[in-house]
Amino acid sequence: MSEGWLERRALKVLQNAEVPLFLFTLAAEEIDLVADVSRIGRDEAGKLIGYQRPEKQKHVKQILDYLDSGDVLFPNGLILALPPETRFKSSRGPGTSDGLAVSGTLEIPISPEGEGPRPAWIVDGQQRSLALSRTKNRRMPVPVAGFVTQDLDVQREQFLRVNTVQPLPVGLVTELLPEIARVPSARMATRQLPSALVDMLNQDPDSPFYGIVRRASTSTDNKHVAVVTDTGLVEALRESIESPSSLLFPYRNIATGTTDTEGIRRALLAYWGAVRQTFPGAWGLPPTESRLMGGVGIRAMGRLMDRVMAHVDANAADAREQATAELALIAHRCRWTDGTWEDLGLTWNDLQNTPRHISALSNYLVRIYLSERMRRR
């Protein structure tokens, strides 16, 4: 190790000309010197930062117990995003390349004596890296694959791609999706726009959901007020976006791939603002106290939205008032915080966030709404 640089023999894999990829080893004690974990969170402006989930202490301890047990075979390597200052010097002479990789020396910039920020980010293997940094076997060689980029978008994309064997938490994936340019799968792509809309609803001061949606980046201090789980809201919006007969579908131009996000914003603020206005005593409470704020309530009211907003001019100045007048037709039949749902035979807290209850409640609300509207004519 030279002053300010960590040198390692390495292979440069001839795979992607724009993003250099290297295979090398680090000693266990060097993990903390070179790499750090980019935790998911939000900065003061509300912008998403990082991508890694919180550490799992039990998992880390299991790995550490194995590393400290004696003779160890540990082929599970790490994937690092290396800084652009990283240098690679090819070896001289014949036989340094076989057409697939080139042998040489990799030089990674490091701060003297570990001071200052670490140069690399851990894309995969954060639990392993924590265990390796604590093991008694300090000089154990650890296999590493490192690609050179400072592009956070590339790091997040690779993070999602490598975490397929043990699925990532749904909330973490959905929150990362709006930040990814190339979504790893078609299934994930269907949640990209809905997740971006949830971000908007959670960060827009004019939104009834402002600050109350719980996402993977929600800080511990704010979790007590973030009573709405993002996955239920994402699914409610996804259904409306994908169904041709639903409210949000017309706001997307399939031919050009464009979306009228401002139009969607107006429609969502009008409807959900009306929901809050119609049920003020049930809004903003944890799901244990109000089923309106749980997945079953959000999904059911999301399906009712498509029916209600068909009779509302979302561009009108009084759109919320129009939606509130429509919701008044079903308000007296709702039991979000107490009582029993007529026809369903369920008390308010018997409703669960299951497909059967979501479907039953959705059908009930739509049926009551259509019946009352017919009677009003």
Side-chain angles (χ1 to χ4, degrees), residues 146-201:
F147 58 90
V148 178
T149 183
Q150 59 182 352
D151 189 338
L152 186 58
D153 183 67
V154 174
Q155 295 180 32
R156 285 171 170 159
E157 178 192 341
Q158 291 302 314
F159 172 68
L160 292 179
R161 289 186 184 279
V162 299
N163 284 279
T164 55
V165 176
Q166 181 179 356
L168 294 167
V170 174
L172 175 59
V173 174
T174 54
E175 188 169 10
L176 286 173
L177 286 176
E179 311 293 328
I180 305 294
R182 296 183 301 173
V183 179
S185 71
R187 181 173 174 273
M188 287 186 182
T190 64
R191 284 182 279 159
Q192 189 173 35
L193 175 58
S195 183
L197 294 175
V198 169
D199 271 348
M200 178 275 293
L201 290 171

Side-chain angles (χ1 to χ4, degrees), residues 317-339:
D318 65 340
R320 189 177 68 176
E321 286 68 30
Q322 292 182 45
T324 301
E326 296 294 323
L327 288 173
L329 298 176
I330 58 101
H332 65 291
R333 304 288 288 273
C334 293
R335 304 290 183 263
W336 299 119
T337 60
D338 59 50

Side-chain angles (χ1 to χ4, degrees), residues 307-377:
R307 300 284 187 163
V308 167
M309 294 303 288
H311 303 285
V312 174
D313 180 0
N315 295 315
D318 65 340
R320 189 177 68 176
E321 286 68 30
Q322 292 182 45
T324 301
E326 296 294 323
L327 288 173
L329 298 176
I330 58 101
H332 65 291
R333 304 288 288 273
C334 293
R335 304 290 183 263
W336 299 119
T337 60
D338 59 50
T340 299
W341 291 86
E342 299 173 17
D343 296 344
L344 295 181
L346 296 170
T347 60
W348 75 273
N349 55 356
D350 280 338
L351 278 177
Q352 302 300 319
N353 188 29
T354 63
R356 184 167 66 89
H357 281 186
I358 291 170
S359 179
L361 182 58
S362 301
N363 293 338
Y364 175 73
L365 292 175
V366 170
R367 185 168 65 251
I368 294 300
Y369 173 70
L370 295 178
S371 174
E372 292 293 326
R373 207 167 196 287
M374 286 287 291
R375 185 181 303 176
R376 190 175 67 175
R377 288 183 176 180

Side-chain angles (χ1 to χ4, degrees), residues 204-273:
D204 189 336
D206 293 332
S207 165
F209 289 102
Y210 180 57
I212 67 170
V213 180
R214 179 176 296 195
R215 311 222 71 180
S217 62
T218 302
S219 66
T220 302
D221 292 340
N222 291 331
K223 284 185 177 180
H224 70 286
V225 296
V227 295
V228 178
T229 303
D230 63 350
T231 50
L233 189 53
V234 166
E235 281 302 301
L237 298 179
R238 183 189 63 78
E239 286 185 351
S240 186
I241 289 169
E242 294 183 356
S243 175
S245 62
S246 295
L247 169 67
L248 303 183
F249 185 85
Y251 290 95
R252 298 182 67 196
N253 188 322
I254 305 299
T256 62
T258 58
T259 302
D260 179 7
T261 52
E262 180 54 33
I264 290 178
R265 174 184 177 275
R266 287 194 298 270
L268 292 177
L269 294 193
Y271 176 74
W272 288 103

